[in-house]
Amino acid sequence: MAEYNILKTGEDTADLDSAKTYIDLAFRLNSANPYKTCTGRILLTQGYLLREKNQRKAGKQTIENAILTLSGIKDEHNLGLAYYEIAQYYNYSVPAEMKFKLHYIGLSVNLFSSSRNLELKAFALKMLADLHNINGESDKALIEAKLSLATYQAIDYSRLQGVFELIGGIYFQQSDFLQAVNYHLRALKTALAEQDTAILCQINNGLGMTYMRLKDYRKAIRYFKNAILLAERTNDRSTIISLVFNVAESYLSLGETKEALAYVKTIPKGYLQIKDPSADFAVALMYLNIYSGLKDFSQTDKFLKLLINVVNLPQTNNTYKSYIYSALIKYSIASKQYASASFYLKRNESVLTLLKNPAAKDFNYKVWFKLDTLEQNYKIGVKHLLLHNKLADSLLMESQQRDLKKITSFYETTQRENAIKLLQAQGTLRETQLKHEVYSRKWALGFAIVLFFLLIILIDRYRVKQRMNRILKKHYSETRLANQTLAVEKSGLLAENDNLLTQKEWLLTEIHHRVKNNLHTVVSLLESQAFFLKNDALRAIEKSQHRIYAMSLIHQKIYSDENLKTVDISGFVPELIRYLKDSYGVHLSIQFHIDIDPIRVGVMQAIPLALIINEVLTNSMQHAFRQKESGSAIKVTINRSGDKVTLVISDNGVGIDVAVTRSRSGSLGLVLINGLSEDLDAFTQIENNNGTKVSVSFISDLSMADRTPENIKI
């Protein structure tokens, strides 16, 4: 009853008084015959009450007493709650306290796991992941967040929007913005399904921030505005200020400074009044950026003074200082106050060094180079340009190492799964092996005897061959010696040249051959996995097989062709179609009409093109002819006009719903087609005209000299 009154929504004094009454009663009842489990639980509840009343010192001491009591009796569930509660007394924004907060939350995770309380374990894991992400340890955070998600899913917990949003935020921190968008959208979908309006503002803001980093500022503005509407419902002023600032920054990034000012003027003045400069400095920051962009310096003085005061306050953290210095730098350059700009650049560099933010420091050096150029200080400008390039290379290397780590993690995970499956298979086969063991031994003995006699025969034949070889070798050496002296110099030079060329071609061929083999191995693994899957999971595995096969087919075409730099699409597409017809068993039910020019494309274009063809054909075979018994047909055309290559795939089936193609929550196939089209820098069009028609046009990366006049008709 005490916990109910403490944890219920709202902070009613009467509820807290009732809770205290129940706690006092519990202490009196337990004092007659003290029971440590009860004592620990009562102390824990009393700690909840004291923290709710903001009596933090007494509350922390009470929780520490609860931990001592519960540790002695190994009450893992309540001890986990106590460790989680004491973590709330440490401030994550203070580095010295953050390590204690992480330690206690980690202990609670282990205790909830031992007590088999999976829901609390998942909840604590989510908190631990959030803290590690704040602490800059995004790799640990991602592992913990995904473990939290898996734990929730294991107990069929449906309210996963918070975990999805956290994972999206972690991917954002890692600059993996496509994954961030994916998880933010999953969070949005789940929140709407669960009717959780409280988190919708945070999710929309996360999507807006991610699209800003993807430089899709229009989408970013749309999500920020959605978040503002949600924040206005709860009159959350601080959140509204932050969101309006983000909208203004998006407009400024688009070069639409006037639109930024016009939008800000639509916000009710009560939200954007600067009441507390240290808390509301984002408003001044926003106006300074806008008026600097408009070069309307008559409006900047009051905001400039406020920001200079805030940046010098001792309680202003380094992140906020960096934001303010960046705005002051932009203002100084725009107003041609280059000495001030140089001063703020030096201040900002010191702050960024403490923050250990190489991306922001890289931007600082870039601006510094621009300032040096404006001042015609080219010697120092070169220094800042070199520092900018060095940091840019470092950031690129970090990104590559992160990608390599993901690939390695995926490979190791796959190996572990294969090892588990192998052990399971070995256990099943062991019983059969025991039954046939005696029979196998007899066969082994007989085989050994036969092998022994064969070995004797082979040894005898080998000795005869050796004698003949010695005789022939003597005659051959005498003849070869006369010719070898004349040819040695010429053959040596030619052999060295041919060897280098052969090694180069062999290495390229071997690389493509091994890539093809590895991809076929993955296809085989997926086939093995498919035996254990059903329904959607099975279909997902099959689609993955087709995609991987399409990529492996490209590599096969490369290493089997004399030209290792290009791929003949006219030879590749029919083979891919034959594979898909075999996979879906549509040899008789669907007619294929193929008209392909003999086009060669580079390796960088061949793989995206192959995957697009695979996705469109797979979609047609699976979905286009469900309501059609005869006359089903698919037409594939690839032609070339100048440097422009056009792929058209059409069917006479039921046709795709055009609204789905425009939806943000389309299928993975549509997402892949759009993403791969961007890789080709292609124009993609999907139509429904008595069936689905997909057109993809792109510029070939090869010259027109690679073309031949003939066409292939199938």
Side-chain angles (χ1 to χ4, degrees):
M1 290 297 293
E3 287 186 6
Y4 169 77
N5 283 283
I6 295 168
L7 302 176
K8 69 189 295 188
T9 305
E11 294 187 359
D12 193 321
T13 305
D15 291 333
L16 299 181
D17 290 340
S18 297
K20 185 178 184 307
T21 301
Y22 287 121
I23 290 169
D24 291 340
L25 178 60
F27 270 127
R28 285 197 300 272
L29 292 172
N30 190 54
S31 62
N33 187 16
Y35 183 46
K36 285 192 175 182
T37 300
C38 290
T39 303
R41 184 67 186 189
I42 296 167
L43 287 169
L44 179 60
T45 307
Q46 188 178 40
Y48 293 155
L49 176 62
L50 292 170
R51 184 163 65 88
E52 190 73 15
K53 287 183 172 184
N54 204 27
Q55 297 176 17
R56 298 183 64 81
K57 185 176 181 180
K60 184 179 179 184
Q61 183 62 53
T62 302
I63 296 300
E64 288 173 348
N65 292 337
I67 290 172
L68 287 173
T69 302
L70 294 167
S71 298
I73 57 173
K74 296 183 179 180
D75 185 347
E76 293 171 334
H77 172 74
N78 286 318
L79 185 57
L81 291 172
Y83 277 126
Y84 187 88
E85 176 62 18
I86 201 168
Q88 309 313 307
Y89 288 90
Y90 294 91
N91 189 346
Y92 64 82
S93 62
V94 179
E97 295 186 20
M98 174 61 116
K99 63 180 181 180
F100 290 107
K101 196 173 186 75
L102 286 168
H103 173 69
Y104 288 127
I105 296 293
L107 289 175
S108 71
V109 169
N110 295 333
L111 289 163
F112 292 143
S113 180
S114 299
S115 64
R116 301 187 182 279
N117 192 322
L118 297 183
E119 185 173 347
L120 284 176
K121 176 187 175 183
F123 179 78
L125 276 168
K126 177 175 173 290
M127 175 61 73
L128 190 61
D130 198 6
L131 291 172
H132 275 129
N133 193 40
I134 293 169
N135 206 37
E137 300 174 274
S138 60
D139 290 337
K140 283 184 181 179
L142 187 59
I143 293 170
E144 290 158 353
K146 289 197 172 182
L147 183 57
S148 172
L149 176 61
T151 307
Y152 273 133
Q153 289 173 333
I155 59 174
D156 296 326
Y157 187 82
S158 61
R159 297 177 64 83
L160 300 173
Q161 56 271 22
V163 187
F164 287 141
E165 172 63 15
L166 174 59
I167 295 174
I170 295 169
Y171 276 123
F172 179 87
Q173 289 292 100
Q174 294 183 340
S175 299
D176 191 344
F177 301 120
L178 292 179
Q179 283 283 26
V181 168
N182 176 33
Y183 277 95
H184 283 316
L185 290 174
R186 291 176 72 180
L188 182 61
K189 181 180 178 181
T190 307
L192 291 172
E194 295 292 330
Q195 298 181 348
D196 182 3
T197 57
I199 199 174
L200 285 175
C201 179
Q202 180 183 345
I203 295 171
N204 277 278
N205 184 43
L207 281 164
M209 294 296 294
T210 306
Y211 279 117
M212 274 188 76
R213 294 297 296 274
L214 288 169
K215 300 186 187 305
D216 192 343
Y217 299 111
R218 297 292 179 198
K219 284 183 181 177
I221 289 169
R222 191 171 76 218
Y223 282 109
F224 285 140
K225 287 182 177 179
N226 288 342
I228 289 171
L229 292 174
L230 292 162
E232 285 177 342
R233 295 179 186 176
T234 57
N235 199 28
D236 188 348
R237 181 173 173 272
S238 61
T239 299
I240 291 171
I241 290 174
S242 175
L243 291 167
V244 172
F245 176 85
N246 289 339
V247 173
E249 285 297 301
S250 298
Y251 276 123
L252 292 174
S253 298
L254 289 168
E256 299 176 1
T257 311
K258 291 181 180 179
E259 287 79 356
L261 182 60
Y263 174 74
V264 170
K265 287 181 178 180
T266 65
I267 303 301
K269 292 183 179 180
Y271 289 126
L272 300 182
Q273 286 180 349
I274 301 176
K275 300 175 181 179
D276 178 2
S278 63
D280 301 339
F281 75 90
V283 178
L285 199 64
M286 176 181 67
Y287 279 119
L288 182 63
N289 285 337
I290 292 173
Y291 288 122
S292 295
L294 292 171
K295 298 190 183 300
D296 185 358
F297 303 116
S298 63
Q299 302 289 335
T300 58
D301 285 348
K302 61 180 180 180
F303 304 118
L304 191 64
K305 291 176 182 177
L306 184 146
L307 290 172
I308 291 173
N309 289 333
V310 171
V311 82
N312 291 317
L313 291 174
Q315 65 266 32
T316 304
N317 66 45
N318 287 329
T319 301
Y320 292 159
K321 285 182 180 179
S322 176
Y323 291 154
I324 295 172
Y325 282 136
S326 297
L328 294 174
I329 292 164
K330 292 176 186 176
Y331 163 77
S332 300
I333 293 176
S335 60
K336 298 184 179 180
Q337 299 179 41
Y338 298 142
S340 296
S342 180
F343 172 77
Y344 292 129
L345 278 165
K346 291 176 182 177
R347 287 287 187 91
N348 198 30
E349 183 182 20
S350 300
V351 170
L352 292 174
T353 301
L354 294 173
L355 286 173
K356 298 180 181 179
N357 187 339
K361 202 169 184 179
D362 172 53
F363 177 77
N364 207 51
Y365 285 133
K366 188 176 180 182
V367 175
W368 217 328
F369 170 68
K370 178 181 176 182
L371 176 62
D372 293 332
T373 305
L374 290 172
E375 292 185 308
Q376 298 183 351
N377 194 351
Y378 300 115
K379 184 176 180 180
I380 298 177
V382 169
K383 172 189 171 184
H384 290 138
L385 179 61
L386 290 173
L387 288 170
H388 160 63
N389 290 336
K390 182 179 178 181
L391 269 176
D393 291 341
S394 175
L395 290 169
L396 178 61
M397 182 64 71
E398 285 181 11
S399 176
Q400 291 173 341
Q401 288 175 345
R402 187 164 53 246
D403 291 341
L404 179 60
K405 188 174 182 180
K406 290 179 182 176
I407 294 169
T408 304
S409 176
F410 172 78
Y411 174 72
E412 291 175 349
T413 302
T414 305
Q415 279 193 322
R416 285 196 297 270
E417 290 176 351
N418 290 340
I420 292 170
K421 291 176 184 175
L422 181 60
L423 289 172
Q424 291 173 340
Q426 287 175 343
T428 305
L429 291 173
R430 183 59 182 166
E431 294 181 6
T432 305
Q433 290 174 343
L434 290 172
K435 293 179 182 178
H436 295 283
E437 188 174 353
V438 176
Y439 181 74
S440 298
R441 286 177 181 174
K442 291 180 180 179
W443 266 101
L445 181 61
F447 181 74
I449 294 170
V450 172
L451 185 63
F452 176 74
F453 285 109
L454 284 174
L455 185 61
I456 292 174
I457 295 170
L458 287 172
I459 291 171
D460 181 65
R461 298 300 301 166
Y462 175 74
R463 288 176 177 174
V464 172
K465 183 179 178 181
Q466 287 291 92
R467 286 196 297 270
M468 294 299 297
N469 283 343
R470 283 195 294 271
I471 296 170
L472 291 172
K473 187 175 181 181
K474 182 179 179 182
H475 292 292
Y476 174 73
S477 297
E478 292 173 355
T479 305
R480 183 170 175 269
L481 185 60
N483 297 326
Q484 188 175 16
T485 304
L486 297 173
V488 66
E489 292 183 2
K490 180 180 178 180
S491 62
L493 294 172
L494 292 174
E496 184 178 1
N497 186 44
D498 290 343
N499 185 44
L500 290 172
L501 291 173
T502 302
Q503 285 184 13
K504 179 181 177 182
E505 292 180 357
W506 179 83
L507 284 171
L508 288 172
T509 304
E510 183 66 14
I511 288 169
H512 288 293
H513 183 59
R514 292 193 181 190
V515 170
K516 189 270 293 183
N517 286 345
N518 289 339
L519 290 173
H520 272 292
T521 301
V522 175
V523 170
S524 299
L525 291 172
L526 291 173
E527 287 177 355
S528 300
Q529 183 67 54
F531 284 114
F532 302 97
L533 301 176
K534 296 180 180 179
N535 302 329
D536 291 343
L538 178 59
R539 285 192 290 274
I541 289 294
E542 290 173 344
K543 287 183 179 179
S544 298
Q545 287 179 246
H546 300 157
R547 293 167 185 146
I548 295 169
Y549 181 83
M551 291 189 289
S552 71
L553 194 56
I554 289 292
H555 287 284
Q556 181 179 334
K557 289 295 180 184
I558 293 170
Y559 81 74
S560 62
D561 198 331
E562 292 182 358
N563 188 344
L564 298 174
K565 297 180 180 178
T566 63
V567 178
D568 182 4
I569 293 300
S570 63
F572 159 75
V573 174
E575 190 167 342
L576 177 60
I577 291 173
R578 282 193 293 271
Y579 167 74
L580 292 175
K581 287 198 294 186
D582 289 340
S583 297
Y584 289 102
V586 295
H587 295 87
L588 301 177
S589 59
I590 301 175
Q591 285 290 112
F592 284 84
H593 305 284
I594 306 173
D595 184 0
I596 307 174
D597 288 352
I599 299 169
R600 300 188 77 89
V601 299
V603 176
M604 295 301 291
Q605 289 186 329
I607 291 176
L609 182 61
L611 290 172
I612 289 173
I613 294 170
N614 174 76
E615 292 300 323
V616 177
L617 289 176
T618 301
N619 182 70
S620 292
M621 292 181 192
Q622 284 187 316
H623 306 296
F625 307 111
R626 291 180 176 177
Q627 301 175 7
K628 197 164 187 176
E629 298 180 356
S630 61
S632 302
I634 297 175
K635 184 176 181 180
V636 181
T637 303
I638 306 178
N639 56 61
R640 184 172 185 171
S641 176
D643 289 336
K644 183 179 179 182
V645 178
T646 302
L647 162 69
V648 179
I649 302 177
S650 59
D651 61 57
N652 61 351
V654 296
I656 192 170
D657 184 353
V658 178
V660 173
T661 67
R662 298 171 183 165
S663 172
R664 298 169 48 78
S665 58
S667 67
L668 176 59
L670 287 173
V671 173
L672 283 175
I673 290 171
N674 289 330
L676 293 166
S677 296
E678 290 181 8
D679 292 344
L680 289 172
D681 198 13
F683 172 75
T684 304
Q685 186 175 14
I686 303 176
E687 307 172 74
N688 183 354
N689 186 10
N690 296 323
T692 300
K693 179 180 178 182
V694 179
S695 304
V696 180
S697 300
F698 61 95
I699 303 301
S700 171
D701 56 3
L702 302 178
S703 67
M704 293 177 65
D706 294 327
R707 295 159 53 195
T708 58
E710 298 83 17
N711 285 346
I712 294 176
K713 302 291 183 181
I714 300 179

